Amino acid sequence: MTTSTPVHTVCPHCKRPVTVQPDQRRAQCPEHGLIVPMRSAIANPPLPSTPSVVLLYPQVA
């Protein structure tokens, strides 16, 4: 069985794409704050003023 839409990591509330660091269970949604993401198709495009997730989860050297 094949899926017609690709599966991404999204916010469970607005279905916008989010990025999760491999060692963390939560992600930052610009609209809903700290969320537990889910795997689904993207239903809404990202917000235009979305801050980079890299800035939200800085790497500690």
Side-chain angles (χ1 to χ4, degrees):
M1 183 173 154
T2 60
T3 305
S4 60
T5 57
V7 176
H8 299 277
T9 304
V10 299
C11 171
H13 307 290
C14 61
K15 300 283 194 300
R16 287 189 168 93
V18 295
T19 303
V20 181
Q21 295 293 330
D23 59 339
Q24 296 180 346
R25 295 182 56 173
R26 296 182 180 243
Q28 183 74 26
C29 173
E31 187 175 354
H32 297 102
L34 198 59
I35 53 100
V36 177
M38 63 182 266
R39 301 281 293 162
S40 179
I42 295 173
N44 298 309
L47 294 175
S49 62
T50 303
S52 174
V53 177
V54 174
L55 297 176
L56 298 174
Y57 297 103
Q59 296 293 326
V60 178

